[in-house]
Amino acid sequence: MIAGSSDGDRGRRTPYVIVRCERGGLYVGKKVPGEDDQRPGERSTGSKKCNCPFKLKGTKEPKDDEKAEWKLNVYSGIHNHNLFENLHGHSYAGRLSKEQTSFVHTLKKAMVKPRAILRLLKEKDPSNVTGMKTVYNTISKLNFSELSGRSQLQLLFVKLKKDEYLSYHRWNELNAITDLLWIHPKCIKLALSYPYVFVIDCTYKTNRYGLPFLEIVGFTCTNMTFSIAFAYLDHEKTENFEWALRCLKEAMTMTNVYPSSHHLLCRWHVNKNILANCKKLFTKDITKWKQFQSAFSALIERNTIEEFNEDWESMKRTFIGYPPAIAYVADSWLDPYKERLVSVWISVLILERTLLVGWRGHTDE
């Protein structure tokens, strides 16, 4: 590695280059604030420095002669460590070519993770000795070049406009954006073609911003799902959902904010709540707990009221020894919300909604 150099400093100094081993010198860690300066730092590192004495210096003589040759002085020609069998981990040898850099950029835009990018680089070229740090640095440079002095939010709006997305946002008194929704025109066309059932739910704080991520999904006539709109919400409150629906209404040029819509419950979240409140009641018999879970899952899938009632009575008899678990399921979910949770009632709601939309379309004609 080059430890120092000079191009002649406008004729006042002799041009020189100093080359040292990359393991020369010693690692100097940062002290913890308030720590005794006489005591070594407690930070553990993976530094390769071992005060290797290897050192060469090249000097151009005479300095004013353009055709002058360089003189090499060997200050120390030995290493105090074993030489590497390969160049893995060496920044110079691990440099990416233009083709490899373009390959990394393509994978990054496709949301491929850095570790997978490194693996693909090595699969493409087995002799490649690039390390993770080089991949991270390349991605960082790409991110910086994309920003071009803009904030990440400004870049997002630029990309949404470039790809012809419709976007809606609102802000608070500090001019900070609190809610952001985007939707593609093709998704609007699908939603207008199949406006019968929309499913709206949030993925809870699984993104880097810690915000609820809302997705609105529709169903085709072949029971396939399609995405309609996406949104980051400030909170999972009624007014946040109302705002998102008004944005969707505006995008679809409708006249009402779905006054006849029905609020269905997410079965995954219901099962998570049952797990949190009931599993502890079955600590002495895990097999019985698994049977309880299976029985409830089958119960809410029933397609007739008779089947539901029969299975519910059977479930109460089977788990008569666990009254708190039965009481929780009944009081917290089935009694107040079975119309929003059990298949038989959900199917009725969907059928009513389909007939209503079809009747309105017929009268419009």
Side-chain angles (χ1 to χ4, degrees):
M1 59 176 286
I2 297 177
S5 65
S6 172
D7 60 0
D9 200 18
R10 297 184 180 179
R12 293 191 294 272
R13 299 182 62 182
T14 301
Y16 70 89
V17 175
I18 297 176
V19 179
R20 299 190 63 177
C21 176
E22 65 176 357
R23 302 188 67 177
L26 295 174
Y27 173 78
V28 180
K30 294 182 179 179
K31 295 286 185 178
V32 177
E35 186 179 358
D36 184 358
D37 290 340
Q38 301 301 318
R39 202 167 50 133
E42 297 181 357
R43 182 180 177 188
S44 176
T45 72
S47 174
K48 297 183 292 184
K49 293 183 178 294
C50 60
N51 206 23
C52 179
F54 183 86
K55 181 179 179 182
L56 306 175
K57 182 177 182 180
T59 308
K60 184 179 180 181
E61 296 181 356
K63 65 179 183 179
D64 296 327
D65 188 352
E66 294 183 357
K67 296 183 179 181
E69 297 181 351
W70 285 75
K71 179 182 177 182
L72 179 64
N73 294 319
V74 181
Y75 288 87
S76 176
I78 60 173
H79 296 271
N80 64 355
H81 57 86
N82 294 328
L83 299 181
F84 295 105
E85 295 182 1
N86 56 57
L87 297 177
H88 181 76
H90 291 256
S91 58
Y92 183 84
R95 293 180 305 169
L96 296 177
S97 64
K98 289 184 179 180
E99 180 185 352
Q100 291 171 332
T101 301
S102 177
F103 183 62
V104 172
H105 288 186
T106 301
L107 295 177
K108 185 266 177 184
K109 291 180 179 178
M111 306 297 291
V112 180
K113 294 183 177 181
R115 288 194 175 277
I117 292 176
L118 180 61
R119 186 183 70 251
L120 292 171
L121 281 171
K122 294 185 180 296
E123 289 178 357
K124 192 174 182 180
D125 180 10
S127 64
N128 186 292
V129 292
T130 300
M132 278 302 304
K133 186 176 181 180
T134 302
V135 174
Y136 279 124
N137 288 342
T138 304
I139 293 174
S140 178
K141 289 179 181 178
L142 174 62
N143 292 336
F144 183 79
S145 63
E146 284 184 340
L147 289 174
S148 299
R150 299 168 296 207
S151 67
Q152 288 186 334
L153 193 56
Q154 289 172 328
L155 178 62
L156 174 60
F157 282 122
V158 169
K159 288 189 172 183
L160 288 174
K161 184 177 181 181
K162 179 181 177 182
D163 293 331
E164 300 181 347
Y165 278 84
L166 296 177
S167 64
Y168 302 85
H169 65 276
R170 59 178 181 168
W171 53 89
N172 57 21
E173 62 278 3
L174 301 176
N175 289 326
I177 292 180
T178 56
D179 302 272
L180 171 65
L181 179 141
W182 62 97
I183 179 172
H184 197 274
K186 291 183 178 180
C187 296
I188 296 176
K189 290 182 179 180
L190 275 172
L192 289 172
S193 299
Y194 304 100
Y196 313 116
V197 179
F198 292 164
V199 177
I200 303 172
D201 198 8
C202 280
T203 301
Y204 187 68
K205 296 183 179 180
T206 56
N207 51 78
R208 69 172 67 179
Y209 308 106
L211 296 174
F213 180 71
L214 176 73
E215 183 173 6
I216 303 175
V217 177
F219 289 83
T220 68
C221 59
T222 57
N223 292 326
M224 300 295 289
T225 61
F226 62 92
S227 297
I228 300 174
F230 306 89
Y232 284 120
L233 301 180
D234 188 36
H235 293 93
E236 285 188 276
K237 295 182 178 179
T238 300
E239 60 107 6
N240 296 96
F241 290 108
E242 287 179 348
W243 172 83
L245 288 175
R246 286 192 172 88
C247 292
L248 180 60
K249 175 208 69 172
E250 182 178 336
M252 297 177 67
T253 62
M254 292 185 178
T255 57
N256 299 304
V257 187
Y258 315 119
S260 60
S261 64
H262 299 282
H263 179 200
L264 303 181
L265 296 183
C266 173
R267 290 178 176 177
W268 185 85
H269 285 100
V270 171
N271 286 324
K272 290 287 287 186
N273 279 278
I274 292 176
L275 174 67
N277 288 278
C278 295
K279 186 177 181 180
K280 57 189 176 184
L281 305 174
F282 293 82
T283 53
K284 295 182 179 180
D285 194 342
I286 298 299
T287 302
K288 203 72 172 179
W289 160 245
K290 292 181 178 179
Q291 292 174 354
F292 184 85
Q293 279 186 305
S294 299
F296 180 78
S297 297
L299 179 67
I300 61 177
E301 290 285 354
R302 291 308 171 211
N303 292 313
T304 67
I305 295 178
E306 291 76 15
E307 289 179 349
F308 171 81
N309 290 334
E310 289 176 5
D311 281 14
W312 178 224
E313 292 300 324
S314 174
M315 185 174 177
K316 288 189 286 186
R317 290 193 301 270
T318 302
F319 301 97
I320 193 172
Y322 301 88
I326 292 295
Y328 174 78
V329 168
D331 298 340
S332 298
W333 301 110
L334 294 182
D335 290 346
Y337 302 120
K338 63 176 178 288
E339 290 83 3
R340 303 180 184 181
L341 182 63
V342 182
S343 294
V344 57
W345 284 283
I346 293 176
S347 299
V348 172
L349 290 176
I350 293 174
L351 178 60
E352 289 177 349
R353 178 62 179 165
T354 303
L355 293 174
L356 178 62
V357 173
W359 177 81
R360 286 179 176 174
H362 177 73
T363 56
D364 290 341
E365 292 177 359

